Amino acid sequence: MSKMDFNREFDAQHGKLVAITDELARLTCNNPSALTFAGTNTFIVGKNEVVVIDPGPMDLEHLDALMTAIDGRPVKAILVSHTHVDHSPLAGPLKEKTGAPVMGCGPHRRAVSFEDMDETPMDASSQKDFAPDEELEDGAKISVDGVVIEVVATPGHTENHLSFALPDHGVMLPGDHVMAWSTTIVAPPDGSMNAYMKSLDKLMARGETRYFPSHGGEVNNPKVFLAQLKQHRQMRSDAIMERLRAGDDDVMTMVKAIYTDVDPKLHGAAALNVLAQLDDLIAQGVVLCNGKVTLSAKFTLRETA
């Protein structure tokens, strides 16, 4: 597998407002787990007036800490990157306390390829009743205290995922699309590898040089790291293509052959990743599926002249 320059050094300082730059601070929720690392980072942009980005899970201690960090300042907006339950649920209670509108990603939705897929564990990780006051489109801009926040649509981790840039300051808040401590989960039904890869290209074409994800610390050398992420996913695709050439035609057979060093208890999660990669290969026109792209479908290589 490709070498990844992970940065796992991170002092969460749960419940404490930590200044990152003059215009940006973070407050990390005390919800560490295998998927959230040290917890969810909520970001506050601005000084006299503020915007709150990714309020976090339904955690009342984090809400109290947020209100202390806001310290009576007007809240212009509450921005949400996507509808996983470690990011969006606290938007409602924070709106009640501050009167600020909830803006950003649209309601939770599945990726097009997996609209008819059976329920998976990923469904439980999503806030399905999320309804923003205003859904923001790619390129939309909000100004707070003289700081411009630009919406950058980055579907992939979820179909509705957004990143937020501070372009005048060279800062990108990539949500869960790029994380310094780990590769990002891209799992159906709401995740799409094809969209994820296109979003990586989109970020690589931009000029921001400092990335602060929603979990963990700063990404070192973002341009290099983004290239490593692309190579990592390409090597996963290459491994799947090798299994198809060997005659494997279903997801679980491929998982058992590819993930030999992974606890079999995690093969269910690995299967979702393989399915996302297969969907990307179908979109590239190199793999065929015998019907809808599901865990029980059969896959073959497309014959070439």
Side-chain angles (χ1 to χ4, degrees):
M1 192 53 61
S2 58
K3 181 181 180 296
M4 299 293 303
D5 293 328
F6 291 121
N7 172 21
R8 296 190 173 104
E9 296 182 7
F10 180 61
D11 183 7
Q13 301 186 59
H14 296 122
K16 179 181 177 181
L17 188 66
V18 178
I20 298 175
T21 69
D22 289 343
E23 62 281 335
L24 178 68
R26 69 160 171 84
L27 185 74
T28 304
C29 182
N30 191 10
N31 64 324
S33 74
L35 296 179
T36 62
F37 193 44
T40 302
N41 294 330
T42 299
F43 294 101
I44 297 178
V45 181
K47 293 182 179 179
N48 300 311
E49 181 183 40
V50 300
V51 164
V52 177
I53 299 178
D54 275 356
M58 190 59 72
D59 184 310
L60 297 184
E61 287 188 9
H62 189 55
L63 178 62
D64 288 343
L66 264 174
M67 292 307 297
T68 298
I70 291 168
D71 194 24
R73 292 175 291 178
V75 179
K76 185 169 185 177
I78 301 164
L79 301 184
V80 176
S81 67
H82 65 294
T83 43
H84 279 164
V85 294
D86 56 320
H87 289 258
S88 58
L90 206 62
L94 185 60
K95 175 184 175 179
E96 290 179 5
K97 285 187 173 289
T98 64
V102 176
M103 306 166 70
C105 70
H108 180 75
R109 62 184 185 271
R110 289 180 164 210
V112 174
S113 297
F114 308 112
E115 288 178 342
D116 299 320
M117 185 175 175
D118 290 339
E119 293 282 307
T120 77
M122 292 305 296
D123 286 289
S125 69
S126 304
Q127 184 190 1
K128 295 183 181 178
D129 62 352
F130 177 80
D133 296 301
E134 183 178 351
E135 184 174 347
L136 298 178
E137 305 225 345
D138 184 48
K141 293 180 179 179
I142 296 173
S143 181
V144 58
D145 223 16
V147 179
V148 174
I149 302 171
E150 180 183 351
V151 177
V152 184
T154 47
H157 174 63
T158 63
E159 186 72 6
N160 62 353
H161 192 283
L162 302 177
S163 299
F164 299 102
L166 280 56
D168 297 337
H169 301 273
V171 168
M172 176 65 71
L173 306 177
D176 282 3
H177 193 77
V178 177
M179 298 185 292
W181 73 282
S182 174
T183 57
T184 296
I185 290 176
V186 181
D190 56 345
S192 165
M193 189 63 69
N194 187 255
Y196 179 83
M197 298 299 284
K198 290 177 180 177
S199 293
L200 278 182
D201 288 338
K202 184 176 185 176
L203 291 181
M204 291 179 77
R206 293 183 60 91
E208 288 79 22
T209 57
R210 300 193 71 186
Y211 278 50
F212 298 98
S214 290
H215 303 284
E218 184 172 1
V219 175
N220 295 327
N221 301 314
K223 295 297 185 185
V224 172
F225 192 72
L226 289 171
Q228 290 174 351
L229 286 174
K230 286 196 67 175
Q231 183 182 17
H232 172 85
R233 301 295 184 180
Q234 184 58 54
M235 291 182 73
R236 284 292 190 206
S237 289
D238 291 346
I240 291 170
M241 291 289 286
E242 182 179 335
R243 296 317 310 164
L244 288 166
R245 292 189 192 99
D248 295 350
D249 65 356
D250 67 275
V251 170
M252 288 312 301
T253 300
M254 295 182 210
V255 167
K256 291 173 184 177
I258 295 171
Y259 291 85
T260 55
D261 57 344
V262 172
D263 186 337
K265 293 178 182 177
L266 300 177
H267 280 187
L272 292 174
N273 182 72
V274 168
L275 187 65
Q277 297 274 178
L278 284 163
D279 183 58
D280 182 36
L281 292 168
I282 291 168
Q284 294 177 39
V286 296
V287 170
L288 297 173
C289 180
N290 68 342
K292 293 186 180 299
V293 183
T294 67
L295 290 169
S296 60
K298 298 294 184 180
F299 302 89
T300 56
L301 289 172
R302 180 186 288 272
E303 294 183 7
T304 56

